[in-house]
Structure formats: structure tokens, C-alpha cells
Amino acid sequence: MMMSLGGGGGTGRRTVLITGVTKGLGKALAIELAKGGHSVIGCSRSQDKLDSLRSLLSSSEAAAESPHLLLNVDVRSNGSVEELARVVMDKKGVPDIIVNNAGTINKNNKIWEVPVDEFDAVIDTNVKGIANVLRHFLPPMTQRKRGIIVNTSSGWGRSGAALVAPYCASKWAVEGLTKSVAKELPQGMAVVALNPGVINTDMLASCFGDSSSLYQAPDAWAGKAAAMILNLTGADNGASLTV
């Protein structure tokens, strides 16, 4: 990965859109970026958690002066993401960076025992959710020929594991989608697939149980991840990276 202090085509405060912002890696990343003086646009399906995060992000700022924008959005719904894009363009303009972080995993099960609606939820969130964001945010980003998109992948988007086949399939799809979209972007932009590593989140606990506590916490991960994301440039386009 190419590193530069300005990263992503600019310096100073950056506007970063993060999906799935109210828990796990998304929340930790949002807090880290806000601490660094960046403007966070976040979305989630949980209004209570959005309200809680809003108070965390803006604790040191007057409410009227908060640079952050948190919205109730379901990335699985094209219409919901279309409305997100409309509000973001109106209030914040085109984001400098988008982190497609919203994700879900199936309960540990052999593929023939995974309920149909559970399989659909994984694909609808992890794959189609990213496609919905790209559909509505890439046109204004490509028009100005700058911007960075980070699609959250996984080690299981580059290998296979028993009992989580739907999740593995979705993350392999993220890797393929990223490499294809990279060939559609103008010079100066980048889309990357980012494997966050093995982090102690609710999703990890659903797979690993109690042993998930042996792994790094999201807040410890966020500093390194934020620095890496802020330093991405057009030279990274199409890359599969790992924090």
C-alpha cells in the first residue's frame, strides 16, 4: 500500500461515511476518526444506538456545531440508501472516504441447515448493501474524480471455513466486486477490499464463543485502521489489504 500524509487526495479534516456505525468496528472507527478531527457520517438501523453514538461523538462540541451526521438507514434497501445519498449531498457534500462496514453473519451451521432468510440476510447486507451504496455515491464521486471506498472484507473472503459458508460466500463476493469496480473508476480514485483481521466483536463471538475474548478489542484496532484508511491513495485501487 502506498502511504502519504495527505492520503485520499487531500489534507486536513476529511468527511468519512461509515455504514454499520453503531457497534463493533464501525463504532470504534467512528470514534477514532472523530477524535482525529474528521467529520463522520454514519448510518445504522438502530435509532437508540445512533442517539448514544451521537452523544459520544459530540461530547466536546456544542450540538449546533457538530461536524457529524448520523442517520437511520437500512443498507439492504436501495430506497433507504438513495435517501441517505440525497441527505448527505444536501448537508455534507460528496464524502472523501466511504467505509462499507455494515455486515452480518449466519449462526454456525452446515449450509443445508442455514435457514433461507438467514442466508438472504447475509447476502442482502454484505453484498447488496455495498452495491446500493456504490450505486448512489459513485456517480458524484466519479464526477469529481476523487474519493476512496473501503469495502470491509474478511480473512474468510480469501479462504473457506466450515459452518459459515454464507458469510464466506458474501466476503468472496466483496473481493470480486471490489476488483471489478476498481476497473471502472477514473484515475485518482480507489476502491479496496480491507480485511480488518480477527477482532473481538459480536460477530466473532457468534463463531468462536468465549474464545473471542482472546482477540484484539475494536478500540485497540481502530487507531491502526484509521491511519491506514486515511493514507489510502489512488495507487491502492483494486488492492486486497489487511489491517
Side-chain angles (χ1 to χ4, degrees), residues 153-176:
S153 183
S154 168
W156 284 341
R158 303 166 192 175
S159 65
L163 308 182
V164 286
Y167 182 78
C168 290
S170 75
K171 293 304 183 178
W172 277 81
V174 169
E175 294 276 340

Side-chain angles (χ1 to χ4, degrees), residues 111-232:
I111 188 64
W112 57 91
E113 293 170 347
V114 175
V116 170
D117 58 348
E118 206 171 297
F119 190 101
D120 288 349
V122 172
I123 300 302
D124 287 350
T125 305
N126 298 6
V127 184
K128 291 163 76 174
I130 291 178
N132 288 336
V133 172
L134 298 179
R135 181 177 299 115
H136 295 291
F137 283 92
L138 272 182
M141 292 177 88
T142 55
Q143 191 171 4
R144 68 176 193 170
K145 294 187 167 72
R146 63 188 176 90
I148 301 291
I149 295 162
V150 177
N151 294 331
T152 303
S153 183
S154 168
W156 284 341
R158 303 166 192 175
S159 65
L163 308 182
V164 286
Y167 182 78
C168 290
S170 75
K171 293 304 183 178
W172 277 81
V174 169
E175 294 276 340
L177 182 69
T178 300
K179 294 216 177 290
S180 297
V181 173
K183 297 179 184 299
E184 300 171 353
L185 298 183
Q187 189 170 3
M189 288 186 65
V191 58
V192 303
L194 184 64
N195 168 18
V198 185
I199 314 298
N200 182 15
T201 61
D202 290 346
M203 283 208 298
L204 191 73
S206 85
C207 306
F208 285 18
D210 291 343
S211 66
S212 63
S213 63
L214 300 173
Y215 294 91
Q216 186 178 26
D219 54 352
W221 164 90
K224 184 178 178 185
M228 188 175 188
I229 289 167
L230 290 168
N231 279 285
L232 290 168

Side-chain angles (χ1 to χ4, degrees), residues 13 34 37-38 54-68:
R13 176 185 281 177
H38 301 284
R54 184 176 289 109
S55 64
L56 272 177
L57 294 182
S58 303
S59 57
S60 61
E61 299 155 341
E65 297 173 356
S66 175
H68 312 299

